[in-house]
Amino acid sequence: KDVLTKYAKLKVGRMEGAPALAPHVPGQITAIPFAELPAFQGQNSPYYRESHRQMAQAVRAFVQTELEPIAESADLAGEYPELELRQKLGAAGLLAAGMGPGPHLKFAKSLGLPIPGNVDPDDFDYFHEMIRHQEIARLGRPGFVDSLGAGWGISAPAVFHFGSDEMRMKVGSQLLKGDKWSALAISEPFAGSDVAALRCTAEKTPDGKFYMVNGLKKWITEGMYSDYFVTAVRTGKTGTPKDVSMLLVERGPGLDTKQIKTTYSTCCGTAMVIMKDVKVPVENLMGKEGRGFLQIMYNFNHERWLIAVNLIGQARAAVSDTFMWARQRKIFGKTLIEQPVIRNKLASAAASLESLTALLETVTYDMCKTKGGAVGDRLAAPIALLKYQTTRSSWKIADECVQICGGRGITRTGMGAKVEGFKNYVKYAAVYGGSEEILADMAVKMSMKAFPKQAKL
């Protein structure tokens, strides 16, 4: 099907007597088992309204018409997304819809940017955002998917949450339209999950008008083509988290980026960011000095939820394609799905997928009903466990899918490409945003805070 779509211009006709193909309507919801959220295939769910279905269909139509035709070639060639494509994402409202509910949605609307599916800003919730991310994740090419806003999506919210009014109006509007791009610059060669150990410094000039920023940032997604870097810096010398501040650093003299080649495609621009005497106006301080660590923690819950959302979206695409492959592939005179061992593997993958979806929906509903959404200590542990369980279970799903697809499941092109991409992405998700071990330990420690002192067996 993808091949016929990709090379439609080369088609000269159909074989006489061949059955007619149903016309393809972009955005359609499918009946393929486990290819959709259960609520879109008949499940009675308290979480979704008609606007969620409209969101799914609108985003899917954009993906099928604008992204699918270029996804494979861009992913394989390692090409960064062009400005025109980023502006299309902005004009379609997909950038604004990727930051969750909030005042930025009405601001986007004032800029002429709609929410996909014409969802009203006041009705928009985290389930709408979840659907937006998963529809793009279903492309199954994690490098290309991340090139469409993985770094943007965890940095732009900081501009709206912590930036000045002037920063929100100027930089915020540029980001929502896709005219400019941003990345989150926290990790360093010396500090990953241990954020408080970062070494990048920002010292004020004698006249107090600028910060001089010096240091390295590593594994910065979309860093190669970003215009702005939401950067964690050390402004104090006490050796504590109170030294950490957040600056909006604009690409310019003294700032250089170098491509880091990782397991997946270079098209997402993963970068080493080198800053040497970068001059940053003091007006680009986000909030107050010494508040950076808290701002980073504020952002982490949503980021970790987002990683789980994307991974589950890719898992659903992989399981769906595996089902279709098992139904059409013949071996030893039977289709794969006629073999009991294959049905067992499909059941294992589907059960894990739907268990993760149920957990995700529970946490997402909690976010919808909690003041401030994902922010706060109470949701930190549930979201940490969600990400932990998602990455652990995804290993199992990927293993089952690859075994069923065989060689196609380890090939970057063709009918198993989404399985191959998902298999690679699982390890990424297990590491960034906080590793599995760190998050599991954190969740247990936080749960112990409420442990009744007198409780015993």
Side-chain angles (χ1 to χ4, degrees), residues 392-431:
R392 285 286 85 205
S393 295
S394 290
W395 272 114
K396 180 180 180 181
I397 298 171
D399 182 57
E400 304 289 22
C401 290
V402 169
Q403 291 304 111
I404 293 170
C405 291
R408 284 171 175 79
I410 55 171
T411 304
R412 294 183 67 188
T413 57
M415 290 181 279
K418 291 183 180 181
V419 173
E420 193 274 343
F422 170 60
K423 175 261 298 178
N424 283 343
Y425 185 67
V426 171
K427 199 53 179 173
Y428 274 83
V431 172

Side-chain angles (χ1 to χ4, degrees), residues 340-357:
V341 66
I342 298 299
R343 293 198 298 271
N344 182 275
K345 286 183 172 295
L346 287 169
S348 172
S352 295
L353 171 63
E354 299 306 2
S355 296
L356 291 177
T357 299

Side-chain angles (χ1 to χ4, degrees), residues 16 39 68 90 130 154 161 200 206:
E16 185 177 352
E68 281 186 359
M130 181 191 87
I154 56 176
H161 291 149
C200 184

Side-chain angles (χ1 to χ4, degrees), residues 89-108:
L89 291 167
L94 287 166
L95 296 178
M99 291 200 297
H104 67 278
L105 293 172
K106 289 185 177 179
F107 180 50

Side-chain angles (χ1 to χ4, degrees), residues 138-456:
R138 288 164 67 110
L139 282 164
R141 296 187 174 277
F144 180 71
V145 169
D146 277 6
S147 78
L148 303 176
W152 187 103
I154 56 176
S155 56
V159 171
F160 288 93
H161 291 149
F162 311 121
S164 63
D165 290 341
E166 182 182 354
M167 186 185 295
R168 285 194 292 269
M169 289 297 294
K170 179 187 174 183
V171 178
S173 62
Q174 293 174 335
L175 295 178
L176 289 175
K177 291 177 180 178
D179 293 339
K180 297 285 187 178
W181 215 249
S182 63
L184 185 66
I186 295 177
S187 295
E188 298 181 359
F190 330 98
S193 296
D194 185 11
V195 175
L198 63 86
R199 301 182 187 179
C200 184
T201 61
E203 297 182 1
K204 279 186 178 177
T205 55
D207 60 10
K209 294 181 178 180
F210 298 93
Y211 288 100
M212 300 301 290
V213 180
N214 288 277
L216 301 174
K217 298 294 178 179
K218 196 172 184 181
W219 304 291
I220 307 306
T221 307
E222 299 194 287
M224 289 302 297
Y225 49 88
S226 285
D227 305 286
Y228 296 105
F229 297 84
V230 175
T231 307
V233 296
R234 188 169 291 282
T235 51
K237 298 181 180 180
T238 66
T240 69
K242 292 183 179 180
D243 293 342
V244 181
S245 302
M246 292 284 276
L247 287 177
L248 183 70
V249 180
E250 187 171 4
R251 184 183 289 273
L255 191 151
D256 190 22
T257 51
K258 293 186 177 181
Q259 178 78 55
I260 297 176
K261 292 186 178 181
T262 59
T263 304
Y264 69 177
S265 174
T266 55
C267 68
C268 66
T270 304
M272 170 81 83
V273 182
I274 304 161
M275 290 175 279
K276 187 174 181 180
D277 291 333
V278 180
K279 204 171 185 180
V280 180
V282 293
E283 291 79 13
N284 285 23
L285 176 68
M286 308 186 89
K288 297 180 180 180
E289 280 195 6
R291 301 287 293 178
F293 187 79
L294 294 176
Q295 291 167 347
I296 293 168
M297 295 301 107
Y298 180 100
N299 205 45
F300 259 150
N301 281 0
H302 185 267
E303 179 185 353
R304 290 163 179 164
W305 172 83
L306 175 57
I307 292 168
V309 166
N310 280 336
L311 188 56
I312 295 171
Q314 290 192 42
R316 191 167 294 283
V319 170
S320 173
D321 280 11
T322 302
F323 255 86
M324 288 191 282
W325 174 246
R327 188 170 176 267
Q328 67 193 59
R329 168 68 165 170
K330 284 189 175 181
I331 186 169
F332 303 122
K334 293 182 179 180
T335 59
L336 283 177
I337 207 164
E338 292 179 87
Q339 310 286 351
V341 66
I342 298 299
R343 293 198 298 271
N344 182 275
K345 286 183 172 295
L346 287 169
S348 172
S352 295
L353 171 63
E354 299 306 2
S355 296
L356 291 177
T357 299
L359 177 59
L360 172 62
E361 289 176 337
T362 298
V363 173
T364 303
Y365 179 78
D366 199 353
M367 288 165 54
C368 290
K369 295 298 181 180
T370 299
K371 185 178 180 181
V375 180
D377 288 345
R378 191 185 65 78
L379 274 167
I383 290 175
L385 289 178
L386 166 66
K387 181 178 180 291
Y388 170 81
Q389 185 64 16
T390 298
T391 54
R392 285 286 85 205
S393 295
S394 290
W395 272 114
K396 180 180 180 181
I397 298 171
D399 182 57
E400 304 289 22
C401 290
V402 169
Q403 291 304 111
I404 293 170
C405 291
R408 284 171 175 79
I410 55 171
T411 304
R412 294 183 67 188
T413 57
M415 290 181 279
K418 291 183 180 181
V419 173
E420 193 274 343
F422 170 60
K423 175 261 298 178
N424 283 343
Y425 185 67
V426 171
K427 199 53 179 173
Y428 274 83
V431 172
Y432 67 21
S435 68
E436 288 179 344
E437 295 78 9
I438 295 291
L439 295 187
D441 183 62
M442 182 192 80
V444 172
K445 282 182 176 178
M446 295 189 73
S447 68
M448 292 300 293
K449 292 179 180 180
F451 199 101
K453 293 183 180 180
Q454 304 303 319
K456 294 182 179 179

